[in-house]
């Protein structure tokens, strides 16, 4: 599992693209400038129209969207007479184990245009190009194949002093691209092609610093043989359909959640891949991605990664031999969530010895080391923490994850029938949780119980992780206290602001999750505002500038934010509780009169499908549960619509008591809901291209 945080564009806004379960990816910025993940060069583009050259990265007439809410980025550049359309996506050539990135550019104007492609060092600090050469329709960068062209360019330019694309746009291009070498790493090239009316030019980007790694049976990659963007978008819709279907009334929020689920599938590529900075992936980020996959029906992808844990456990009982003290807790928690989503003994059965060893590793590290500065013994030392929660020395971050991991190990070992090992892990969890509570109470200050330095993000992030329900490590009263304290400190605005006045996207999503866990409609409102402030490609950065709708942090398309958005979207529709399933955990007034549903949602009690329809002011609830254990009744609730209603029937349909929005005549409310329902459904169908039109039987 790769969860990377490298900077690839300035400002830090981009959309991640790639093929399913492949480490070969690229990022596309808001102008369509593309950089292969791990490469030191970027691909820019410009269009020569009748009046002048239009360079996408400097023009205002650029719009961007996703095709079919899939990782297929379409960038439109307006020129006289219409648009020239740039599309970028990942594809896997037939018979190959590695993916490629495809760029297709279509002329939708009524006249011919010229297309110029620029290859230059990217935006990262280590970006450079030492040599460029075209051989056999393949552009080699630093001696490695980088671009496969459909035909030779009509004109070309290269330079070691500046920007070759700008040189070409001035008209200083030659008939051929001469090989060029620059020891300083500042080489660049531009290739110019004619692009007739309605024509499409397709090129292949071979990603990765080591170049293309095809099977021996695939000696070349012909652009014409690869699928078109529309085909790939359709394929992603099919892939997304394998998992849980989440239908939310707000069309943009629904599209953002669907796009995020595809991004999770792009991120899934197996456990042994390191990120592009050469460091192990952040275990908490990895765990969040895996849990989001498991909770939305992609348990096979999550299981593929988690099965590899046995190869990652060192002799010291620690995953990845990590200096990060949160690694064991985070990955054990992810494994538990996979178990709860599937109940599959096949998935966790072979990992039982490793679960017990990882739990023992936590206990050993707690007992053998002391916290510096006179803090209580028996807690984990304050080791390296993610930069997004404050970096070094975040107080109690590792301990909270350790408690979560020990509790997860206990439940997993009980499920596997390992009573003795489960008792040991359970005793360790109880002991550590008790020590942690005492330590937190002893260092409490300013309403936040000793969660970290008050001048950093740690208090809010840790508090919201607890209050959101993701980490079940403290009593409910403390969980609610720390989350409410975080809300009081940050306010009830559109999210959690940073010191610079931007939005901390991760903390804002955790805040929304916290509100949803309490059944509060403001959680949905916060999500709607957050995705409304994002760009049209629906990719969430780690920090967002709402004024410009661009990233303002370090990560342009953030895996952590992506996972949290998916988890929040699922939490709006189904709540998996220890003793029940809430089929309607929230019901904001904006949803009344509209339809929503979650199909094939995994829970610890089984796979559930639920839908809400309307007949006038009466919500109609439909449900079907495939129970995990036959003969064991499961209580089903509809907390936000009918707090007193429950059933143990595995399937059914019920008309719940009428609800009415406060204020205004009943008939006015009824007409407003009908109008919203028709408009919302139509908008959602337009966005997703579905055939799920509203039924004609009173809105059911």
């Amino acid at each position: 599992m790769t969860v990377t945080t490298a900077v690839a564009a300035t400002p830090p806004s981009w959309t991640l693209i790639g093929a399913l379960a492949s480490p070969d990816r690229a990022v596309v910025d808001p102008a369509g400038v593309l950089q292969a993940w791990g490469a030191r060069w970027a691909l820019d583009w410009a269009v020569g129209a009748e009046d002048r050259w239009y360079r996408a990265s400097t023009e205002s007439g650029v719009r961007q969207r996703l095709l079919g809410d899939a990782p297929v980025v379409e960038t439109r550049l307006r020129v006289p007479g219409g648009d020239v359309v740039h599309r970028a996506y990942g594809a896997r050539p037939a018979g190959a184990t590695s993916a490629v990135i495809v760029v297709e550019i279509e002329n939708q104007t009524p006249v011919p245009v010229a297309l110029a492609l620029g290859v230059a060092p990217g935006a990262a600090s280590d970006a450079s190009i030492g040599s460029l050469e075209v051989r056999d329709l393949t552009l080699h960068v630093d001696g490695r194949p980088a671009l496969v062209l459909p035909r030779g360019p009509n004109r070309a330019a290269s330079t070691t002093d500046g920007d070759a694309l700008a040189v070409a746009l001035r008209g200083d291009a030659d008939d051929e691209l001469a090989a060029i070498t620059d020891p300083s790493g500042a080489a660049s090239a531009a290739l110019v092609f004619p692009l007739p009316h309605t024509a499409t030019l397709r090129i292949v980007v071979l990603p990765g610093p080591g170049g293309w790694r095809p099977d021996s049976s695939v000696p070349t990659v012909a652009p014409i043989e690869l699928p078109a963007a529309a085909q790939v978008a359709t394929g992603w819709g099919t892939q997304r359909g394998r998992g849980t279907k989440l239908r939310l009334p707000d069309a943009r929020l629904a599209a953002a959640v669907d796009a995020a689920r595809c991004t999770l599938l792009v991120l899934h590529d197996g456990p042994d891949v390191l990120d592009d900075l050469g460091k192990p992936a952040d275990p908490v980020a990895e765990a969040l991605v895996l849990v989001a996959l498991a909770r939305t029906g992609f348990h096979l992808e999550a299981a593929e990664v988690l099965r590899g844990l046995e190869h990652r456990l060192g002799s010291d009982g620690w995953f990845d031999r990590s200096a990060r003290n949160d690694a064991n807790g985070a990955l054990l928690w992810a494994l538990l969530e996979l178990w709860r989503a599937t109940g599959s003994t096949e998935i966790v059965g072979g990992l039982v010895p490793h679960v017990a060893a990882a739990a023992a590793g936590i206990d050993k590290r707690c007992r053998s080391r002391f916290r510096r500065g006179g803090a209580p013994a028996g807690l984990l030392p304050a080791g390296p923490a993610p930069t997004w929660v404050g970096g070094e020395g975040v107080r109690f971050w590792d301990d909270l994850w350790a408690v979560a991991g020990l509790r997860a190990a206990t439940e997993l070992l009980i499920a596997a029938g390992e009573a003795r090992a489960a008792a040991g892990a359970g005793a360790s969890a109880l002991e550590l949780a008790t020590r942690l509570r005492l330590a937190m109470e002893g260092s409490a200050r300013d309403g936040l119980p000793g969660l970290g330095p008050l001048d950093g993000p740690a208090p809010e992030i840790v508090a919201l992780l607890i209050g959101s329900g993701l980490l079940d490590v403290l009593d409910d009263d403390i969980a609610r206290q720390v989350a409410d304290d975080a809300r009081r400190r940050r306010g009830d605005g559109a999210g959690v602001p940073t010191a610079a006045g931007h939005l901390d996207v991760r903390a804002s999503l955790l805040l929304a999750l916290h509100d949803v866990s309490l059944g509060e409609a403001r959680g949905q409102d916060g999500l709607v505002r957050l995705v409304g402030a994002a760009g049209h490609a629906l990719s969430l950065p780690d920090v967002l500038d709402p004024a410009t709708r661009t990233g303002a942090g370090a990560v342009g398309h953030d895996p952590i934010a992506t996972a949290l958005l998916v988890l929040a979207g699922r939490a709006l529709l189904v709540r998996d509780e220890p003793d029940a399933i809430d089929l309607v955990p929230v019901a904001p007034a904006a949803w009344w009169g509209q339809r929503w549903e979650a199909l094939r949602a995994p829970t610890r009690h089984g796979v559930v499908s639920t839908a809400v329809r309307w007949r006038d002011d009466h919500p109609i609830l439909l449900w079907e549960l495939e129970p995990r254990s036959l003969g064991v009744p499961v209580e089903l609730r509809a907390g936000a619509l009918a707090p007193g209603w429950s059933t143990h029937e595995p399937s059914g349909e019920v008309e719940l008591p009428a609800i009415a929005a406060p204020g205004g005549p009943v008939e006015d409310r009824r007409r407003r809901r009908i109008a919203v329902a028709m408009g919302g459904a139509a908008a959602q169908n337009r966005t997703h291209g579905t055939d799920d039109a509203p039924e004609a039987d009173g809105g059911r």
Side-chain angles (χ1 to χ4, degrees):
M1 169 66 62
T2 300
V3 180
T4 52
T5 57
V7 176
T10 302
S13 290
W14 62 78
T15 302
L16 182 71
I17 60 173
L20 180 67
S22 171
D24 299 304
R25 309 175 185 131
V27 293
V28 183
D29 82 357
V33 178
L34 181 144
Q35 184 162 342
W37 208 243
R40 297 181 177 182
W41 54 272
L43 182 66
D44 201 350
W45 64 296
V47 173
E50 293 179 310
D51 56 342
R52 64 179 178 88
W53 281 98
Y54 292 77
R55 188 168 183 171
S57 56
T58 60
E59 292 293 331
S60 59
V62 174
R63 297 96 68 210
Q64 194 172 78
R65 64 167 185 150
L66 298 181
L67 291 185
D69 303 330
V72 179
V73 181
E74 180 181 272
T75 308
R76 290 180 168 267
L77 174 62
R78 183 178 293 114
V79 299
D83 288 338
V84 177
V85 185
H86 176 291
R87 304 182 185 97
Y89 52 94
R92 193 186 303 275
T97 57
S98 297
V100 298
I101 303 301
V102 182
V103 174
E104 64 175 35
I105 302 176
E106 179 186 1
N107 178 12
Q108 294 185 351
T109 75
V111 297
V113 298
L115 170 66
L117 301 175
V119 177
S125 59
D126 63 346
S128 66
I129 297 178
S131 66
L132 288 160
E133 182 182 11
V134 173
R135 299 197 307 266
D136 300 326
L137 296 183
T138 300
L139 176 67
H140 290 71
V141 176
D142 293 330
R144 301 184 180 98
L147 294 182
V148 180
L149 309 173
R151 60 182 183 272
N154 279 27
R155 303 280 287 171
S158 62
T159 182
T160 60
D161 182 21
D163 180 1
L165 185 56
V167 172
L169 302 191
R170 292 198 303 265
D172 297 333
D174 301 318
D175 292 338
E176 296 182 355
L177 181 69
I180 186 173
T181 301
D182 180 21
S184 70
S188 65
L191 310 173
V192 183
F193 301 86
L195 194 61
H197 164 56
T198 73
T200 298
L201 183 138
R202 187 181 300 157
I203 64 171
V204 174
V205 180
L206 306 178
W212 169 238
R213 303 181 302 278
D215 293 347
S216 58
S217 60
V218 187
T220 60
V221 182
I224 196 172
E225 297 174 359
L226 292 168
Q231 295 173 282
V232 172
T234 300
W236 274 108
T238 301
Q239 292 294 338
R240 191 170 55 228
R242 293 188 294 110
T244 304
K245 178 181 179 181
L246 302 174
R247 178 169 182 162
L248 292 159
D250 184 88
R252 183 171 173 82
L253 178 58
V257 171
D258 279 347
R261 294 177 67 212
C262 288
T263 299
L264 294 182
L265 291 174
V266 172
L267 285 167
H268 159 258
D269 56 24
D272 298 323
V273 180
L274 299 181
D275 72 17
D276 298 280
L277 300 179
K279 303 174 183 177
D282 177 353
V284 173
E286 179 180 2
L288 287 170
V289 169
L290 293 172
V291 170
L293 286 168
R295 287 190 182 180
T296 53
F298 296 119
H299 53 273
L300 294 178
E301 284 77 8
E304 180 183 343
V305 175
L306 289 168
R307 283 195 190 99
L309 288 179
E310 58 185 300
H311 304 297
R312 300 167 63 179
L313 191 69
S315 57
D316 61 349
W318 217 259
F319 289 122
D320 298 326
R321 293 181 172 83
S322 178
R324 285 279 297 273
N325 289 326
D326 54 7
N328 277 25
L331 294 173
L332 286 172
W333 170 70
L335 185 58
L336 172 64
E337 289 294 327
L338 177 62
W339 157 254
R340 287 177 173 175
T342 63
S344 172
T345 55
E346 293 182 4
I347 290 176
V348 300
L351 290 174
V352 166
H354 310 288
V355 169
I362 294 175
D363 187 62
K364 180 179 179 181
R365 216 173 254 202
C366 288
R367 293 180 184 279
S368 63
R369 302 180 69 173
F370 292 80
R371 185 181 295 278
R372 297 179 180 178
L379 297 179
L380 287 168
T387 56
W388 57 287
V389 295
E392 298 290 334
V394 176
R395 194 176 303 178
F396 304 131
W397 169 262
D398 297 324
D399 304 307
L400 290 164
W401 280 106
V403 173
L406 288 170
R407 289 184 174 180
T410 303
E411 186 171 335
L412 289 165
L413 292 168
I414 290 173
E418 299 290 337
R420 183 175 179 179
S428 296
L430 179 60
E431 184 179 352
L432 179 57
T434 301
R435 293 195 301 265
L436 177 58
R437 172 194 276 271
L438 293 173
M440 292 175 73
E441 289 175 350
S443 61
R445 54 181 179 174
D446 291 354
L448 288 172
L451 293 174
L454 292 180
D455 57 351
E460 288 76 20
I461 294 293
V462 178
L464 292 171
L465 271 171
I466 299 167
S468 67
L470 286 177
L471 282 184
D472 179 21
V473 294
L474 296 173
D475 294 341
D476 289 343
D477 57 339
I478 296 182
R480 180 168 298 191
Q481 173 199 341
V482 294
D484 286 348
D485 284 341
R487 173 175 286 284
R488 185 170 60 251
R489 284 164 52 83
R490 292 303 191 185
D492 289 326
V496 178
T498 67
H502 301 135
L503 284 179
D504 184 327
V505 175
R506 296 158 172 171
S508 298
L509 287 166
L510 285 169
L511 186 63
L513 263 172
H514 164 247
D515 291 338
V516 171
S517 73
L518 299 178
E520 297 182 0
R522 63 184 178 184
Q524 187 265 352
D525 296 340
L527 292 171
V528 169
R529 289 194 294 267
L530 187 61
V531 301
H536 292 292
L538 302 175
S539 53
L540 290 176
D542 58 336
V543 178
L544 178 65
D545 182 352
T548 62
R549 305 177 76 184
T550 60
V555 189
H557 193 172
D558 182 33
I560 298 169
T562 300
L564 290 174
L565 178 61
V566 171
L567 289 168
R570 197 257 197 194
L572 287 171
L573 300 177
V574 175
R575 179 182 299 149
D576 183 7
E577 301 176 350
D579 59 345
I581 302 173
D582 195 337
L583 303 176
V584 192
V586 295
W591 290 13
W592 296 358
Q594 302 191 65
R595 54 188 292 184
W596 65 86
E597 62 188 22
L599 305 181
R600 304 181 304 279
T603 74
R604 74 189 76 189
H605 306 288
V607 178
V608 69
S609 296
T610 179
V612 173
R613 307 290 185 261
W614 293 82
R615 181 179 293 119
D616 296 332
D617 289 330
H618 292 265
I620 311 296
L621 176 65
L622 303 91
W623 73 91
E624 181 176 357
L625 173 67
E626 301 173 22
R628 177 77 48 79
S629 302
L630 296 177
V632 178
V634 178
E635 182 179 2
L636 304 173
R637 304 169 183 160
L641 286 178
W645 178 88
S646 67
T647 183
H648 289 90
E649 293 294 327
S651 63
E653 176 180 341
V654 64
E655 181 174 311
L656 298 173
I659 60 174
V666 172
E667 184 59 27
D668 287 348
R669 292 197 299 272
R670 179 176 180 272
R671 283 198 298 266
R672 184 168 62 252
R673 282 196 297 277
I674 291 174
V676 168
M678 295 178 65
Q684 180 135 320
N685 290 336
R686 287 194 301 272
T687 300
H688 295 283
T690 68
D691 56 1
D692 294 334
E695 291 92 345
D697 58 349
R700 285 179 53 198

